[in-house]
Amino acid sequence: MIKIDENIVIRCQRGEKEAFRDVVRTYQRMVFSLALKMLCDEEEAKDMVQETMIRVWQSIEDYDRKRSFTTWIYTIAVRLCLDRLKSMKRVVMMPDDELVLRRVASGMDVHQALENEEWVAMVRMMADGLSEKQRLVFTLVQMEGLSSTEVEEITGLNSRQVKSNLYVARQTIRERLKLLGYE
């Protein structure tokens, strides 16, 4: 998990814009990665990075240094992404998404770095039909590598809810992969 020097946070809380540039440089990739996986749209993800950083700057004085700063930023980003998802039309799997996933699953492009379009296609394909909570928990645990405790703090779900949503998401995705011939 990304960590930032506590002195930078303190300087941000004092209103030092130069210190906040360090926060942006440190966390913008993390927020973009999360937003891309949740929203399945590169432009929306870029917008979400900006909105998240604005929200962080506006509320940095309220940040409780007893909490993990990274978890706090994830919480802000997740809430903004969920709000955006509610305002967007349901993400519909595109016809080419299954072709991209089949190509990746078959191993043809395993060594090639996946570009954002391929990630979007894969996430759309795998997340189609998952509930918002299942998709969120799966993204945070499996794709972002966060612990269950961090996911509980970010989402406000209890341990049982996190485990249940993750289990259903994994089972659903496992079945989809089997249908595509990937085991």
Side-chain angles (χ1 to χ4, degrees):
M1 182 179 279
I2 299 171
K3 297 234 184 221
I4 195 160
D5 187 341
E6 188 175 336
N7 291 328
I8 291 175
V9 175
I10 293 168
R11 289 176 44 217
C12 289
Q13 289 178 318
R14 292 182 189 148
E16 293 183 32
K17 292 179 183 173
E18 188 59 41
F20 190 67
R21 285 189 185 98
D22 289 336
V23 170
V24 172
R25 280 192 289 268
T26 302
Y27 290 98
Q28 66 185 355
R29 277 193 175 149
M30 177 193 85
V31 173
F32 178 78
S33 174
L34 172 72
L36 182 63
K37 292 166 189 163
M38 288 185 69
L39 302 173
C40 296
D41 184 305
E42 189 172 356
E43 291 307 312
E44 289 286 343
K46 288 176 184 176
D47 289 346
M48 199 52 49
V49 171
Q50 290 179 342
E51 287 183 41
T52 299
M53 291 306 159
I54 289 169
R55 186 72 54 92
V56 167
W57 177 250
Q58 290 172 337
S59 56
I60 193 106
E61 290 178 11
D62 299 329
Y63 166 67
D64 178 4
R65 290 191 300 241
K66 293 176 191 162
R67 287 183 69 193
S68 159
F69 191 69
T70 301
T71 301
W72 183 69
I73 290 179
Y74 262 120
T75 302
I76 292 170
V78 162
R79 288 182 181 154
L80 289 170
C81 286
L82 289 174
D83 289 346
R84 182 66 53 91
L85 282 171
K86 288 175 186 171
S87 68
M88 293 170 61
K89 286 184 171 179
R90 185 181 179 290
V91 174
V92 177
M93 189 173 64
M94 305 303 285
D96 292 338
D97 291 349
E98 186 172 348
L99 294 174
V100 170
L101 186 62
R102 283 186 186 279
R103 194 174 69 230
V104 171
S106 72
M108 289 173 51
D109 293 325
V110 171
H111 298 293
Q112 177 184 350
L114 292 174
E115 295 186 21
N116 288 342
E117 287 179 25
E118 290 172 326
W119 266 111
V120 168
M122 287 176 56
V123 171
R124 260 194 206 124
M125 178 73 180
M126 293 296 100
D128 185 46
L130 293 178
S131 76
E132 198 173 88
K133 287 180 185 177
Q134 292 164 356
R135 185 174 181 173
L136 172 61
V137 169
F138 183 81
T139 299
L140 292 174
V141 173
Q142 295 298 134
M143 297 178 155
E144 295 296 311
L146 299 181
S147 70
S148 292
T149 305
E150 292 166 322
V151 173
E152 290 170 34
E153 189 174 339
I154 291 167
T155 63
L157 299 172
N158 64 38
S159 175
R160 188 183 58 71
Q161 291 170 314
V162 169
K163 288 177 185 173
S164 174
N165 281 289
L166 183 58
Y167 176 79
V168 172
R170 283 177 175 161
Q171 290 299 104
T172 302
I173 290 170
R174 187 173 289 126
E175 287 304 312
R176 289 199 177 116
L177 288 171
K178 282 181 183 177
L179 290 173
L180 293 169
Y182 185 76
E183 294 190 51

